[in-house]
C-alpha cells in the first residue's frame, strides 16, 4: 500500500494545487481546505467502502448475485459515494454558509473533497496492482493490469471524483443564492442526481456492460465534455471574482473599510504576493499570515459588496465588514508587535 500511496499522491498533489489556484482571490483558511480533503480521503472514502459491501451483500442475498453484479456499479456505488462526498458541501451550506461568497468557493471545497476521495481510492487500487505485480514480475497479465491501472487512474481519471462532487456542489452551493423554496429544493436534489447518473453510467460501462468499448465512448462523449464545461465555468468564475474585487476596492476605501493605499496592491495577485513577502521579511511569519487573512477577507467583502449592489440582497455583508475590520486590526497588531520586539531586542543589545 505504501507504493500505491506514493503513486496516488503524484496525481493528488497537482489536482489539489489546481483547486487552490482557482481560489487564490479569496484564499480560505488552510484548516478549512484541509478539512475538505480529509473528509474525502477518510470518512467519505471508508464509509463508502463499508456501505457498498453491505448493500451488495444485501442485494446478492435478497435477489441474486447476477443482479448484484450490475446493480452495484449502476446504483449502489454512485449513490453511496456521491452522497457521502457531498455531505461536506451540504454541511458548509447549512452550518457555515458565511464561508461562501459564491459558486467558486463551492467548487474549491468540492474539488478538494473529491481529490481526497480519489487519493484514497487510487491508493487501494494502485497498491493492489503493485502488490500483485511484485509477487510475480514475470507474469505478463500482472504487468498489464498494473500498466492499465496506472493509465486509468493517473492519466484518464485524475479529475473524475472532483468533477462528480463539483456537479453536486454546483447545485448545493447555488442554494445559498436562491430565494424560492422550490428552486432551492430542485437545485439541492437535481445536481447530485446528475452526478450519480454520470458516475453510474461510467462504472456500469466499465464493470457490467458487455460492450468493451462503451467505457471509452462514455469517456469521450460525456466525461470529457463535462470536464471541459466545468473547467471553463471555473476559469470564468475565477476571472469574474478578480474583476469584482478590483472594481469594488475604491468604494471600500472610500467607506473606510480598507486603507486607500491598499487599493492597488489588493487589486493584483502578484502585488498581494509581494506584499506578503515584504511583511514576512520585515515582521515575521505571524504578521505575514495575518496579512494573508486580511487580503482574503477584503476580497470576500469586495465580492459580497458587488453582489449586494447587483441583486439588492446584502446577506452576510455586515458580518463580513466586521470580519475585515478584525482581520485588519490583527494584521496591524501583529506588525506592531513584531516591530516592538525588534526595538526591545536592539535596546537590550545596546545595553550590554
Amino acid at each position: 500500500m505504501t507504493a500505491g500511496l506514493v503513486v496516488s499522491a503524484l496525481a493528488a498533489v497537482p489536482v489539489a494545487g489546481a483547486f487552490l489556484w482557482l481560489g487564490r482571490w479569496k484564499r480560505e483558511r488552510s484548516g478549512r481546505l484541509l478539512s475538505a480533503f480529509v473528509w474525502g480521503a477518510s470518512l467519505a472514502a471508508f464509509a463508502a467502502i463499508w456501505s457498498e459491501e453491505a448493500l451488495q451483500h444485501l442485494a446478492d442475498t435478497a435477489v441474486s448475485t447476477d443482479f448484484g453484479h450490475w446493480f452495484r456499479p449502476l446504483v449502489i456505488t454512485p449513490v453511496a459515494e456521491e452522497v457521502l462526498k457531498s455531505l461536506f458541501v451540504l454541511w458548509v451550506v447549512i452550518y457555515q454558509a458565511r464561508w461562501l461568497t459564491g459558486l467558486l468557493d463551492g467548487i474549491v471545497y468540492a474539488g478538494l473533497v473529491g481529490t481526497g476521495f480519489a487519493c484514497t481510492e487510487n491508493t487501494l487500487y494502485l497498491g493492489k496492482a503493485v502488490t500483485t505485480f511484485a509477487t510475480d514480475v514475470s507474469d505478463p497479465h500482472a504487468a498489464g493490469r498494473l500498466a492499465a491501472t496506472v493509465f486509468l487512474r493517473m492519466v484518464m481519471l485524475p479529475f473524475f471524483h472532483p468533477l462528480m462532487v463539483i456537479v453536486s456542489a454546483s447545485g448545493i452551493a447555488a442554494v445559498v443564492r436562491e430565494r424560492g423554496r422550490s428552486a432551492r429544493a430542485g437545485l439541492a436534489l437535481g445536481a447530485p442526481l446528475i452526478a450519480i447518473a454520470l458516475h453510474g453510467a461510467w462504472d456500469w460501462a466499465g464493470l457490467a456492460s458487455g460492450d468493451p468499448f462503451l467505457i471509452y465512448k462514455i469517456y469521450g462523449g460525456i466525461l470529457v465534455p463535462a470536464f471541459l464545461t466545468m473547467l471553463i465555468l471555473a476559469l470564468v468564475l475565477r476571472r469574474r471574482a478578480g474583476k469584482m474585487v478590483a472594481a469594488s476596492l475604491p468604494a471600500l476605501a472610500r467607506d473606510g473599510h480598507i486603507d486607500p493605499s491598499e487599493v492597488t496592491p489588493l487589486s493584483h495577485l502578484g502585488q498581494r504576493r509581494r506584499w506578503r513577502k515584504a511583511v514576512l521579511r520585515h515582521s515575521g511569519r505571524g504578521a505575514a499570515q495575518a496579512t494573508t487573512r486580511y487580503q482574503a477577507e477584503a476580497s470576500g467583502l469586495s465580492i459580497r459588496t458587488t453582489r449586494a449592489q447587483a441583486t439588492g440582497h446584502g446577506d452576510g455583508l455586515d458580518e463580513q465588514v466586521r470580519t475585515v475590520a478584525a482581520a485588519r486590526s490583527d494584521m496591524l497588531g501583529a506588525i506592531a508587535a513584531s516591530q516592538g520586539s525588534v526595538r526591545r531586542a536592539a535596546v537590550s543589545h545596546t545595553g550590554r
Side-chain angles (χ1 to χ4, degrees):
M1 287 301 170
T2 302
L5 178 60
V6 172
V7 177
S8 66
L10 295 176
V13 169
V15 173
F19 288 109
L20 295 178
W21 176 83
L22 285 175
R24 283 184 66 196
W25 275 108
K26 180 180 165 289
R27 296 175 61 166
E28 300 291 343
R29 291 184 182 273
S30 57
R32 296 174 185 169
L33 299 173
L34 181 61
S35 64
F37 182 90
V38 170
W39 172 269
S42 58
L43 292 174
F46 291 108
I49 293 172
W50 297 328
S51 61
E52 288 168 30
E53 291 294 334
L55 290 172
Q56 181 172 22
H57 177 73
L58 179 62
D60 291 343
T61 304
V63 185
S64 67
T65 54
D66 290 338
F67 175 80
H69 175 69
W70 65 263
F71 189 70
R72 177 170 181 167
L74 185 64
V75 178
I76 294 176
T77 297
V79 170
E81 293 186 359
E82 299 313 321
V83 168
L84 288 165
K85 287 183 294 185
S86 298
L87 285 179
F88 183 88
V89 180
L90 185 62
W91 173 75
V92 171
V93 168
I94 294 175
Y95 296 105
Q96 303 292 334
R98 65 182 183 275
W99 295 1
L100 302 177
T101 57
L103 181 57
L104 185 60
D105 292 346
I107 288 176
V108 171
Y109 282 115
L112 291 174
V113 171
T115 303
F117 190 97
C119 185
T120 297
E121 185 176 79
N122 289 344
T123 298
L124 298 175
Y125 279 101
L126 291 169
K128 181 179 180 180
V130 169
T131 301
T132 301
F133 174 71
T135 56
D136 187 1
V137 295
S138 62
D139 184 2
H141 297 292
R145 284 194 293 271
L146 175 60
T149 302
V150 171
F151 178 76
L152 182 68
R153 296 285 164 180
M154 303 289 288
V155 179
M156 290 182 65
L157 298 174
F159 281 94
F160 178 79
H161 283 294
L163 174 63
M164 294 299 105
V165 192
I166 289 171
V167 172
S168 297
S170 297
I172 296 173
V175 168
V176 177
R177 298 185 300 173
E178 294 295 331
R179 297 288 169 178
R181 181 176 298 178
S182 58
R184 291 164 67 93
L187 287 168
L189 295 176
L193 287 176
I194 293 174
I196 289 171
L198 288 173
H199 192 157
W202 170 258
D203 280 7
W204 181 80
L207 298 174
S209 172
D211 183 357
F213 298 102
L214 181 59
I215 189 172
Y216 301 104
K217 297 174 184 176
I218 291 178
Y219 181 79
I222 298 178
L223 292 186
V224 172
F227 168 72
L228 292 177
T229 300
M230 284 298 172
L231 176 62
I232 293 171
L233 173 62
L235 293 176
V236 169
L237 290 173
R238 184 182 188 270
R239 181 178 179 83
R240 184 180 299 174
K243 289 182 176 180
M244 284 192 291
V245 169
S248 62
L249 286 172
L252 298 187
R254 183 193 64 226
D255 296 337
H257 300 309
I258 66 173
D259 191 89
S261 64
E262 297 168 350
V263 171
T264 299
L266 283 172
S267 301
H268 306 279
L269 289 174
Q271 293 196 38
R272 289 184 178 208
R273 183 171 59 253
R274 288 190 288 273
W275 180 3
R276 294 193 299 270
K277 286 183 177 180
V279 173
L280 176 63
R281 185 168 56 253
H282 296 294
S283 302
R285 184 175 298 277
Q289 291 175 341
T291 302
T292 300
R293 187 74 253 134
Y294 171 63
Q295 292 175 347
E297 297 299 352
S299 291
L301 180 58
S302 298
I303 295 171
R304 289 186 189 277
T305 299
T306 302
R307 289 217 169 95
Q309 293 172 347
T311 64
H313 302 300
D315 294 347
L317 193 57
D318 292 339
E319 182 180 356
Q320 189 66 32
V321 167
R322 293 190 294 270
T323 301
V324 169
R328 192 166 195 278
S329 177
D330 290 343
M331 177 186 69
L332 296 177
I335 293 173
S338 173
Q339 293 173 347
S341 298
V342 171
R343 285 195 295 269
R344 288 192 297 272
V347 170
S348 176
H349 179 74
T350 303
R352 289 197 297 270

